[in-house]
Amino acid sequence: NAGVTQTPKFRILKIGQSMTLQCAQDMNHNYMYWYRQDPGMGLKLIYYSVGAGITDKGEVPNGYNVSRSTTEDFPLRLELAAPSQTSVYFCASSPRDRATNYGYTFGSGTRLTVV
Amino acid sequence: GESVGLHLPTLSVQGGDNSIINCAYSNSASDYFIWYKQESGKGPQFIIDIRSNMDKRQGQRVTVLLNKTVKHLSLQIAATQPGDSAVYFCAEKVGGGGNKLTFGTGTQLKVEL
């Protein structure tokens, strides 16, 4: 299994540009998440989804949008990129079943620089 | 507000020694905790978890201890190896559904030969 796949791995954006960070998982996990990680910091939750068609805001949602049309895919959209959005973005998924652990499976990250 | 924090930003140990990484949490209602390992340039990787009805849980070379009285969590790594060098995060499951986790800022573990 590939697990959680994120693309692209690196991207440089100019201020005001837009882009979509792609995330796909092949584990049939119901729950998916987007986190950002600033240098020397922990991960902050941007958005999450508990299933296709259902999304909700996390701790730092401003400047971002998400959609979840399928169980597998959870893209993150940046509109009007700002330097404050320079960060490493991680997508993750987890199973819904409480009998299993809540540990996430993370993607390898997208390093985004806004100049 | 609620938070998960780590005591030490950097921990240096000699190869072969045991490592202890600490974490404090403030939400007394938290019922599930996870430790993650993040190597440079990679996503966090699950190490071990523990539920609040347990005091201790052991894995392969790792042990997590939970002290609910003082709201403290620790990760012990036995016989630390160079491959253990990484940033370690504790995470706390928060309420509201969706299995959401709140992460601490991380501890950098450096293994010296």
Side-chain angles (χ1 to χ4, degrees):
Chain A
N1 286 343
V4 177
T5 302
Q6 289 185 240
T7 57
K9 293 189 183 301
F10 304 93
R11 183 72 185 269
I12 297 175
L13 279 182
K14 294 184 179 180
I15 295 172
Q17 287 185 321
S18 301
M19 77 165 293
T20 298
L21 282 67
Q22 301 292 344
C23 176
Q25 54 95 5
D26 61 0
M27 298 169 285
N28 202 33
H29 284 171
N30 292 95
Y31 296 165
M32 295 187 74
Y33 314 85
W34 275 105
Y35 282 86
R36 60 177 286 174
Q37 184 177 34
D38 297 330
M41 302 294 289
L43 289 82
K44 300 291 186 182
L45 181 63
I46 305 171
Y47 270 95
Y48 68 101
S49 169
V50 299
I54 305 170
T55 62
D56 208 346
K57 296 178 180 178
E59 184 179 358
V60 289
N62 291 343
Y64 307 95
N65 280 299
V66 294
S67 59
R68 183 97 181 269
S69 57
T70 67
T71 299
E72 294 79 18
D73 299 301
F74 190 40
L76 177 72
R77 178 80 176 166
L78 278 72
E79 303 284 0
L80 299 174
S84 61
Q85 293 179 303
T86 294
S87 190
V88 180
Y89 292 84
F90 288 101
C91 179
S93 70
S94 79
R96 180 180 60 188
D97 184 359
R98 294 189 178 192
T100 63
N101 68 65
Y102 293 108
Y104 294 174
T105 299
F106 280 89
S108 57
T110 295
R111 185 174 296 274
L112 175 67
T113 302
V114 181
V115 296
Chain B
E2 306 297 348
S3 65
V4 177
L6 296 172
H7 293 298
L8 296 173
T10 303
L11 176 65
S12 296
V13 299
Q14 292 291 325
D17 289 349
N18 296 335
S19 302
I20 300 176
I21 300 171
N22 297 303
C23 177
Y25 65 95
S26 57
N27 185 354
S28 58
S30 296
D31 62 358
Y32 182 72
F33 304 88
I34 307 177
W35 281 100
Y36 285 92
K37 173 185 180 183
Q38 186 177 26
E39 296 175 286
S40 181
K42 297 183 179 179
Q45 181 180 12
F46 174 90
I47 302 174
I48 192 168
D49 59 353
I50 189 167
R51 299 185 187 278
S52 60
N53 60 355
M54 304 172 69
D55 298 323
K56 178 180 179 179
R57 191 166 188 217
Q58 289 184 292
Q60 188 175 9
R61 282 200 308 117
V62 295
T63 300
V64 55
L65 299 178
L66 177 61
N67 186 330
K68 293 180 287 294
T69 301
V70 296
K71 291 184 283 190
H72 183 269
L73 193 70
S74 68
L75 177 70
Q76 300 179 1
I77 304 173
T80 312
Q81 304 169 357
D84 294 325
S85 293
V87 176
Y88 290 81
F89 294 95
C90 64
E92 169 187 20
K93 181 175 175 292
V94 297
N99 293 351
K100 297 189 297 294
L101 299 176
T102 295
F103 289 81
T105 54
T107 293
Q108 175 77 54
L109 176 64
K110 296 183 178 179
V111 182
E112 300 172 350
L113 298 175

